[in-house]
Amino acid sequence: MIATQQYGTVFVDKEDLTMPGLKFDNIQGDAVKDLMLRFLGEKAAAKRQVLTASSVEQSFVGLKQLISCKNWRAAVDLCGRLLTAHGQGYGKSGLPTSHTADSLQLWFVRLALLVKLGLFQNAEMEFEPFGNLDQPDLYYEYYPHVYPGRRGKGRRRAAWAPLGSWLGCFSALCLLEAQPRLCVDAGEAGAALS
């Protein structure tokens, strides 16, 4: 067994780590505007004013804005940008990375949005690196410098349950205890996307 990562006194093989990355880089865009352009012309399409991934703050604040106005496609795009900033963007799948509460929350939101949009294959492909959600780097102990004295995955295991029921193949475990960013709990997350 060859150790490739060491945190504290724990050695973990690379193949036992969660190494997510965006699997598709196509921008979702504004489907309504595309239809308007096609059927009503450029002048009518130019009048459509909606929030886009580029027009909001490049943070959880902007993501919350997009979700609250139900602009799911733009929210998927912004999640992709934010995950890229965390080193988990397109082409990064299979490469070691460090997870944070923010990056894991972004993955949850992105996967839930893909499911909401009916892009089940995309969601399934992007969820694949998380496996059964039991890799060592999904536990607090893997990050003793960030979560000193914390053990386990946290209290909010139910946060990932909706994805499991929507896709039918995912485990219902939580990655890390979600820090309240976009939603207070899994119930609010589900309500925001229904």
Side-chain angles (χ1 to χ4, degrees), residues 60 83 86 88 98-109 130 137-138 140 143 146-147 150 153 160 174-182:
F60 280 101
L83 285 166
H86 280 277
Q88 298 176 4
S98 289
H99 299 293
T100 65
D102 286 349
S103 69
L104 293 172
Q105 181 76 6
L106 286 168
W107 277 113
F108 173 76
V109 171
F130 292 98
D137 60 334
L138 298 179
Y140 289 123
Y143 306 98
V146 178
Y147 302 105
R150 303 276 313 258
K153 293 182 189 174
W160 287 84
C174 183
L175 297 177
L176 283 175
E177 180 177 8
Q179 299 298 318
R181 295 275 190 260
L182 299 174

Side-chain angles (χ1 to χ4, degrees), residues 4-40:
T4 59
Q5 297 274 338
Q6 179 187 8
Y7 289 91
T9 58
V10 178
F11 288 92
V12 179
D13 288 336
K14 181 180 174 183
E15 63 269 4
D16 292 333
L17 298 175
T18 306
M19 297 181 280
L22 302 178
K23 298 282 184 150
F24 64 99
D25 64 349
N26 55 322
I27 303 299
Q28 296 297 303
D30 182 355
V32 173
K33 189 171 188 172
D34 292 343
L35 286 172
M36 289 178 71
L37 183 62
R38 182 174 174 194
F39 293 108
L40 301 175

Side-chain angles (χ1 to χ4, degrees), residues 24-31 34 72-77 110 114 117 119 122:
F24 64 99
D25 64 349
N26 55 322
I27 303 299
Q28 296 297 303
D30 182 355
D34 292 343
W72 314 129
R73 292 178 181 277
V76 168
D77 293 341
R110 181 175 170 89
L114 290 172
L117 290 167
L119 300 172
N122 291 2

Side-chain angles (χ1 to χ4, degrees), residues 150-166:
R150 303 276 313 258
R151 300 185 59 77
K153 293 182 189 174
R155 295 179 279 121
R156 299 188 186 195
R157 292 179 182 218
W160 287 84
L163 289 177
S165 64
W166 291 329

Side-chain angles (χ1 to χ4, degrees), residues 2 20-21 37 50 55 87 101 109 117 119 124 128 145 165 173 193:
I2 299 173
L37 183 62
V50 295
S55 68
V109 171
L117 290 167
L119 300 172
E124 204 164 354
E128 189 179 336
H145 55 290
S165 64
L173 300 175
L193 296 174

Side-chain angles (χ1 to χ4, degrees), residues 63-134:
L63 187 55
K64 190 171 185 175
Q65 280 182 295
L66 294 171
I67 290 171
S68 68
C69 70
K70 299 184 187 237
N71 195 338
W72 314 129
R73 292 178 181 277
V76 168
D77 293 341
L78 184 54
C79 282
R81 289 179 184 184
L82 297 174
L83 285 166
T84 298
H86 280 277
Q88 298 176 4
Y90 184 73
K92 299 295 184 175
S93 184
L95 300 175
T97 187
S98 289
H99 299 293
T100 65
D102 286 349
S103 69
L104 293 172
Q105 181 76 6
L106 286 168
W107 277 113
F108 173 76
V109 171
R110 181 175 170 89
L111 293 168
L113 288 166
L114 290 172
V115 169
K116 174 72 176 171
L117 290 167
L119 300 172
F120 301 109
Q121 288 180 325
N122 291 2
E124 204 164 354
M125 285 185 332
E126 290 194 349
F127 185 82
E128 189 179 336
F130 292 98
N132 64 1
L133 298 170
D134 202 32

